[in-house]
Amino acid sequence: MGAGGDAARWEAQPWRLQLQDTRAREHRVSRAAVVAALLAEGCTAEADVAGFAGALEDRGSLSIGQVLRFVDGVRVRMALACTDDEVLQLAYLRRNAEELAERMIDWANTGRLPA
């Protein structure tokens, strides 16, 4: 499925926040600023994920799109996992990455996405 299909699938999930300005999906912000903001809010698991999600694309910055692609990659890895322990670890990682994406979407919608 192409990038447009991924976006449609993500936005179709009823429990996820809807990104009001879809152009913000690929808007890159300072990875360090996102991590600092998450830590300030006490979101240590999401801060950990923000430190490395999408780092192969861009080490210094982070976008909602990068996090969403990371979530999709973890989903694929879960399908290929060989042990229950591996599946559980990946499920935990996926949940934290989804929560990171939701928080970034909320920040984008309210004009609080770090620069």
Side-chain angles (χ1 to χ4, degrees), residues 13-99:
Q13 299 300 318
W15 57 271
R16 291 187 169 97
L17 296 172
Q18 299 295 308
L19 185 58
Q20 293 171 0
D21 180 0
T22 56
R23 294 173 297 176
R25 179 182 167 108
E26 295 301 333
H27 176 74
R28 295 192 181 198
V29 296
S30 164
R31 184 179 301 275
V34 170
V35 169
L38 290 164
L39 290 174
E41 291 188 13
C43 302
T44 56
E46 291 92 337
D48 287 344
V49 174
F52 61 83
L56 291 176
E57 287 182 49
D58 187 335
R59 295 176 78 82
S61 63
L62 184 64
S63 71
I64 294 166
Q66 284 175 294
V67 177
L68 298 179
R69 288 186 290 278
F70 179 77
V71 168
D72 285 341
V74 172
R75 183 180 295 117
V76 170
R77 289 177 57 197
M78 284 178 67
L80 301 173
C82 297
T83 66
D84 289 343
D85 187 51
E86 192 177 7
V87 171
L88 290 173
Q89 289 176 8
L90 290 168
Y92 179 75
L93 179 59
R94 183 176 128 191
R95 185 187 77 209
N96 290 332
E98 288 173 342
E99 289 174 2

Side-chain angles (χ1 to χ4, degrees), residues 91-112:
Y92 179 75
L93 179 59
R94 183 176 128 191
R95 185 187 77 209
N96 290 332
E98 288 173 342
E99 289 174 2
L100 170 61
E102 288 181 22
R103 185 165 309 276
M104 289 179 72
I105 289 169
D106 180 53
W107 286 344
N109 286 344
T110 58
R112 297 180 299 131

